[in-house]
Amino acid sequence: MDSTNSDLRRNCPTLLDVLGQYGILDMLCRRLDTATLFSLRLVTKRLANHFAAHAKERWNFNRRLKHFVRNPQSLRTLMARYNALISGSFVIQFFDDSFWKESDLDIYVERESAAAFGTHLCQKEGYRFDRGSTEDDDYDFLGFVQVDTYLRGDKLRSNETKIQVISTRAVPVRSILGCFSTTAAINFMSWNTAYSMFPAMTFLEPRSQCRVCWVPDNEGRIQSLIEKYSKRGWKAEQMQFAGFRRVGDPRSWKIVLDIARVEPSSTPDYVLENCHFNVVPPIGFPIGPIGPIEDLRQALSFEFTSDVLKYKYTGGEHSTGDFWSEMFMKATLHGLLLDELRKLDHEAQPHFLARPTQWSDFDRRMYLSVHVFMRRSFVKPDSWRYYDDQVPTWLKEWEEEKNMRELNDQMATVAIT
């Protein structure tokens, strides 16, 4: 009898054996929320391949896009060509593996490229132009220039889909990082990667959101956006964190997407991932009864460009502490710009370089003279060198130096020498 029971126990499959059948594990995972799925994944490495297969289908960008377009790869190719981003409720549903029937698709792109998306939607996807934004819509505080709405299907037949092409004044990520009302909305997707900037608050239970936009003239609209997410389960709370962030940093949730049959972008991925923003107490806003200003948060982001950088980036603040505003970066870019100007033929060089002066390269007068010269009618020659490929290296050096400074400050606080 004991031998029989022992044989039965030996031959009885364990829970891991059962979950080792991919169909069973996949069916279970489909019923789990994000937090529980991640917890289950940590139980054992034995099911790593099965979890990877489930994740690839769970966070399938093309499958999600097919609700709005017949050919997701073509739309993503267009996104890659014009460095467009998708944000809004679509991305929340993507990360959360949920579906909201009434939601639309929001595409953010710089104003010069918006028409290409409208043409594509109308000619290739069967959409019709519905309306463009007007002065009454007042999207200025969001950094938008125009919002064009395209519709397909029939609302009465419950098969209408809506896509909004949002023209931005600066690079699209600047509007998302620096102008959105709540942390719950600061999620976006490029042609090949999805990012959530506040994933712990947004997707782990209990779900919460923090207001990060304070514009007195648009208080009503901001409140309505926050209330919209409150009704969907995101409780409004205060956030303790304050400081500088960047796209794809360790606090982010990043999902690399399948790019089969998508024509890649000519812009390297590191450009988007070197876009920074800053989370600080609100500046210049009359808080009144809402609470102490030091307990509130505002997200700040500005567009950053340089004559020796081909691409546009964003910074967190025009002050010390932000990567792009640090003297290290200012001096580096200024020095490289002078190098490029000195490579010009003698006749083409600015007079303050062609003729010796008393100014050092980093004299304030030299900075100002270079700035004025570059803003005039100067046309860069084909031989002009751009240094974007060095940005990841500069970031790594800056982060290492910053971490060392923070460590030294901590040691000094506890009197360690």
Side-chain angles (χ1 to χ4, degrees):
M1 188 70 172
D2 291 342
S3 176
T4 301
N5 289 337
S6 178
D7 290 341
L8 286 173
R9 286 194 298 270
R10 194 162 42 244
N11 295 325
C12 183
T14 65
L15 177 60
L16 284 179
D17 292 330
V18 174
L19 295 180
Q21 304 297 313
Y22 177 72
I24 296 175
L25 178 67
D26 183 60
M27 188 177 299
L28 171 64
C29 290
R30 288 175 185 273
R31 288 160 174 77
L32 300 179
D33 61 29
T34 302
T36 308
L37 175 67
F38 286 168
S39 297
L40 180 60
R41 189 179 63 174
L42 295 174
V43 170
T44 177
K45 295 181 179 180
R46 179 174 157 185
L47 304 175
N49 291 337
H50 287 350
F51 277 119
H54 170 77
K56 185 176 181 180
E57 182 56 26
R58 183 181 184 118
W59 290 294
N60 185 320
F61 192 11
N62 293 334
R63 175 172 59 84
R64 291 271 173 179
L65 279 178
K66 280 186 177 179
H67 179 69
F68 294 95
V69 293
R70 304 184 189 101
N71 190 334
Q73 289 87 353
S74 291
L75 181 64
R76 292 175 63 188
T77 295
L78 205 62
M79 291 176 62
R81 186 178 305 156
Y82 294 110
N83 297 314
L85 300 175
I86 290 176
S87 191
S89 60
F90 176 90
V91 187
I92 294 179
Q93 294 168 81
F94 172 82
F95 275 108
D96 202 34
D97 192 34
S98 58
F99 178 75
W100 304 343
K101 186 176 180 180
E102 302 299 325
S103 67
D104 53 16
L105 182 69
D106 296 334
I107 301 173
Y108 294 75
V109 63
E110 286 190 78
R111 69 178 100 182
E112 297 83 0
S113 306
F117 284 85
T119 300
H120 176 85
L121 293 174
C122 292
Q123 294 185 357
K124 302 294 186 181
E125 291 291 347
Y127 278 82
R128 63 188 183 276
F129 177 76
D130 179 58
R131 68 181 292 268
S133 59
T134 66
E135 292 182 2
D136 294 336
D137 291 320
D138 188 20
Y139 290 115
D140 187 65
F141 82 102
L142 293 170
F144 304 164
V145 177
Q146 177 83 6
V147 178
D148 294 324
T149 301
Y150 298 86
L151 301 175
R152 187 177 68 183
D154 189 338
K155 192 170 185 177
L156 295 177
R157 296 181 180 179
S158 300
N159 65 351
E160 184 180 78
T161 53
K162 180 170 74 173
I163 296 179
Q164 291 191 307
V165 178
I166 300 169
S167 305
T168 60
R169 185 172 293 104
V171 285
V173 72
R174 187 264 163 184
S175 288
I176 298 169
L177 297 178
C179 301
F180 276 17
S181 302
T182 166
T183 53
I186 306 182
N187 317 283
F188 53 93
M189 305 172 79
S190 68
W191 68 280
N192 67 343
T193 310
Y195 300 94
S196 175
M197 299 311 301
F198 298 94
M201 295 179 66
T202 309
F203 299 109
L204 301 183
E205 301 292 346
R207 299 184 173 196
S208 61
Q209 61 172 323
C210 175
R211 175 175 173 171
V212 287
C213 182
W214 302 86
V215 182
D217 294 340
N218 288 277
E219 181 65 14
R221 176 172 290 183
I222 293 171
Q223 284 292 347
S224 67
L225 290 170
I226 293 173
E227 288 171 7
K228 181 178 75 171
Y229 287 105
S230 294
K231 291 176 181 177
R232 293 192 180 276
W234 279 273
K235 181 181 178 182
E237 292 186 353
Q238 295 175 351
M239 180 168 55
Q240 299 302 312
F241 174 83
F244 291 95
R245 297 281 312 278
R246 68 172 179 85
V247 174
D249 65 11
R251 292 177 179 268
S252 307
W253 181 8
K254 171 182 172 181
I255 298 178
V256 178
L257 308 169
D258 181 10
I259 59 172
R261 295 186 291 132
V262 179
E263 295 180 20
S265 174
S266 60
T267 303
D269 291 342
Y270 63 71
V271 173
L272 185 57
E273 296 198 358
N274 276 280
C275 288
H276 298 240
F277 67 109
N278 193 13
V279 180
V280 296
I283 298 174
F285 185 86
I287 301 300
I290 297 176
I293 194 168
E294 62 272 12
D295 294 338
L296 306 176
R297 295 293 179 264
Q298 178 178 15
L300 299 176
S301 179
F302 67 92
E303 187 173 81
F304 180 86
T305 60
S306 169
D307 287 299
V308 288
L309 296 176
K310 182 178 181 180
Y311 305 105
K312 300 174 183 177
Y313 301 83
T314 67
E317 193 176 357
H318 295 282
S319 66
T320 302
D322 174 63
F323 172 67
W324 291 114
S325 295
E326 284 278 16
M327 287 306 300
F328 161 73
M329 281 307 307
K330 287 183 177 179
T332 298
L333 294 174
H334 177 69
L336 293 171
L337 178 54
L338 290 177
D339 290 345
E340 293 304 307
L341 291 174
R342 289 188 172 112
K343 293 177 185 178
L344 300 174
D345 294 336
H346 187 75
E347 297 77 15
Q349 286 185 14
H351 67 87
F352 51 85
L353 289 182
R355 297 194 299 270
T357 69
Q358 299 294 322
W359 305 343
S360 70
D361 282 359
F362 301 100
D363 189 288
R364 182 179 178 183
R365 291 166 293 182
M366 180 67 81
Y367 273 98
L368 180 60
S369 298
V370 170
H371 176 78
V372 172
F373 177 80
M374 297 303 296
R375 299 287 78 78
R376 288 178 176 173
S377 57
F378 174 69
V379 178
K380 298 173 187 175
D382 293 339
S383 60
W384 190 269
R385 167 84 194 279
Y386 294 100
Y387 293 84
D388 298 80
D389 59 335
Q390 297 300 306
V391 172
T393 301
W394 293 335
L395 176 68
K396 182 179 179 182
E397 293 174 356
W398 177 77
E399 287 182 336
E400 290 175 350
E401 182 180 342
K402 181 182 177 184
N403 291 338
M404 183 60 67
R405 288 200 305 266
E406 290 176 351
L407 178 61
N408 289 338
D409 289 344
Q410 293 172 6
M411 294 172 67
T413 300
V414 295
I416 297 178
T417 58

